Amino acid sequence: MRMGSLASLAGALFLLCATPSAAQDNAAYDIVIRNGRVLDGAGNPWVLADVAIDDGRIARIGQVTGRGAREIDASGRYVSPGFIDMQDQSGDVLLQDGSAENKLRMGVTTLIAGEAGTPVEAGELGAYFEQLERQGIAVNFGTYYAAAQARVRAMGDRAGPPSRRQMQTMRAEVEAAMRAGAFGISTALIYPPQSFQTTEDLIALSRVVAQCDGMYATHMRDEGEALLEGIAEAVRIGEEAGVRVEIYHLKAAYAPRFGELMPEAVRAIEAARARGVDVAANMYPYVAGGTGLSITVPNWVFADGEERGYQRLRDPRVRERLRREVAAGSLPGWSNLVHAAGGWDRVVLANAHSARFSPYEGQSIAAIARQIGGEPAEVAWDITLEGLPNRVTALFFLMDERDVEYGLRQPWVSIGTDAGASVRDDPDANQMTHPRAYGTFPRVIAEYARRRGVLSLEDAVRKMTSWPASRMGLNDRGVLREGLRADVTIFDYENLDDVASYQNSRGAPAGINMVIVNGQIALDENGPTAARAGHVLRHRCP
């Protein structure tokens, strides 16, 4: 047979096979997104395609001839999996307000919370999850359980080693949390009483987590001068307990070694991965961290509990010692963030929670001290005490852009806000906060992909979708594939902008056009909708 005849026969066979398939696509879908540049989330280049969604799942990707009850024209825009926030702080907020508006406006569809633990005890975790489901949440939500929660349950918030019986209680609490659906245990080892936990204690608790194939997630003991020691401890816990390790907000927070320490940290993590330790990290794309101003008080002050610690902080004799210690640098068991940042002029008051000091919000502690005629450390502690029982917060400008870029380039780094969901009618809504709560995910794309070229668009999206989904075992999310959960974000790449800044910390981002959670539109051109289609994500213990 001639070649021309063979080609004609092949073409006819193709049409016979293809045409019925197209003809059969006459279904009615819930949503059809048309003509979008579809990014699958796995790092592949975009393809021009339609996406059909039905019954909460992706029904079809390609040419969709069936109609949707809602038709969306995504011409010129990108269609990607919904973004996953790997360090959310919304565990208690969602009980008050499930709308998570600031997260949706960033394109986020899934939150992984729990650095500070859960708002309930381990034995109440199942009921907590059920309450979230009853009330309704606009995004998907999963959480860790804090190792410190188990410790406080067993022995209170004081320093000291647990007894054998207390350790048994702690292990039982962790097991209960894992059985209820926690993704693992978390630590925040710069804050008391978390800082009083030893490596050996954490290995023992992590062995319980390993039995459920969970994760050890850690705000390390030091992210500054002793960063490498902090990584070494996290890796040791992973190796000896046989548990996966997630490092929260990876940073090189030490001004004297900007540009040097982050590459060393990356090499240490790479070395651990090379020998089989399942360790990875997340980051937020900013040079400032945000935390309580009380972190400027050495941890030994709180060795007998928080209440006694604040009593000590009022004692002039104690303060005299503290001033010397802050000026000297970090101490064993305490990371000196003032020293790491490079001085009090790089510590900015964010939320004072007091009529006396609120007028100074947005100014550095050094500047405030000059205005009121005090010593910066004394002023910081006065502000802390004045704001009680609330937590006075500050921005610590601890990082350098070179190190942020270097960290973001690592393939095992995902993205997290280290921030909670917003609350409607929040009395603090006009006060300063960290812009990461409103701009993190758009900033990764707009600033580090489009403007700077640090990341490709495809890799930026991968870091926010398929990689964290894979990391957390969310095998039905994180990529656009037929049959998977329909968490989708549509954005305008050229006009995407994070907007939020240190001066305008609650600015809403631009360019996020639509967000779909489990097949329901949670954000459209008019803003957040009334949909509460989010799922509580429970880790399954084998």
Side-chain angles (χ1 to χ4, degrees), residues 155-366:
M155 56 184 293
D157 64 352
R158 66 187 187 278
S163 67
R164 181 176 178 181
R165 177 170 292 183
Q166 287 169 337
M167 178 54 74
Q168 288 175 339
T169 299
M170 291 160 65
R171 288 173 60 89
E173 290 292 305
V174 170
E175 182 175 2
M178 295 302 299
R179 296 291 176 186
F183 279 87
I185 57 170
S186 62
T187 59
L189 296 175
I190 70 169
Y191 305 109
Q194 294 95 315
S195 57
F196 304 142
Q197 299 168 110
T198 67
T199 308
E200 291 72 20
D201 292 344
L202 295 173
I203 290 170
L205 296 181
S206 293
R207 286 186 173 130
V208 178
V209 173
Q211 294 171 4
C212 288
D213 191 30
M215 191 95 72
Y216 170 72
T218 180
H219 178 155
M220 295 181 294
R221 212 173 288 274
D222 199 305
E223 300 173 315
E225 186 175 9
L227 172 61
L228 299 183
E229 288 87 337
I231 292 172
E233 180 184 37
V235 169
R236 179 188 165 195
I237 291 167
E239 285 188 298
E240 295 193 21
V243 72
R244 293 176 289 143
V245 177
E246 178 75 7
I247 294 172
Y248 282 135
H249 46 53
L250 177 66
K251 60 174 71 75
Y254 188 56
R257 296 201 62 202
F258 283 166
E260 300 174 358
L261 194 54
M262 180 63 88
E264 293 180 12
V266 167
R267 285 195 291 271
I269 294 170
E270 292 278 14
R273 289 180 61 84
R275 63 176 185 268
V277 183
D278 190 351
V279 55
N282 57 68
M283 291 182 66
Y284 49 76
Y286 297 91
V287 295
T291 191
L293 192 57
S294 61
I295 195 62
T296 61
V297 181
N299 286 343
W300 67 263
V301 173
F302 299 99
D304 296 315
E306 184 177 80
E307 182 178 354
R308 175 65 178 130
Y310 285 124
Q311 290 174 359
R312 283 177 175 151
L313 190 58
R314 299 179 190 277
D315 187 333
R317 293 169 299 177
V318 172
R319 285 199 177 193
E320 183 178 352
R321 173 183 168 182
L322 295 180
R323 286 196 304 272
R324 293 195 302 269
E325 292 176 344
V326 171
S330 294
L331 300 172
W334 177 62
S335 181
N336 187 340
L337 298 193
V338 179
H339 176 62
W344 288 104
D345 59 335
R346 291 175 60 82
V347 180
V348 174
L349 178 63
N351 198 335
H353 290 291
S354 74
R356 178 184 173 193
F357 290 109
S358 290
Y360 298 101
E361 290 172 354
Q363 298 185 45
S364 73
I365 298 299

Side-chain angles (χ1 to χ4, degrees), residues 37-47 78-81 456-462 465-466 479-481:
R37 299 177 180 183
V38 177
L39 289 162
D40 66 0
N44 294 311
W46 62 267
V47 296
Y78 288 84
V79 180
S80 87
S456 69
L457 172 61
E458 295 82 1
D459 197 40
V461 169
R462 181 192 68 83
T465 57
S466 67
V479 290
L480 296 183
R481 293 281 189 275

Side-chain angles (χ1 to χ4, degrees), residues 498-520:
D498 47 298
V499 177
S501 65
Y502 300 113
Q503 295 74 33
N504 177 30
S505 58
R506 298 177 190 266
I512 301 291
N513 304 123
M514 186 163 291
V515 177
I516 297 169
V517 178
N518 294 309
Q520 295 189 36

Side-chain angles (χ1 to χ4, degrees), residues 80-93:
S80 87
F83 304 150
I84 298 173
D85 186 344
M86 283 289 276
Q87 196 194 357
D88 170 72
Q89 301 281 7
S90 301
D92 55 350
V93 172

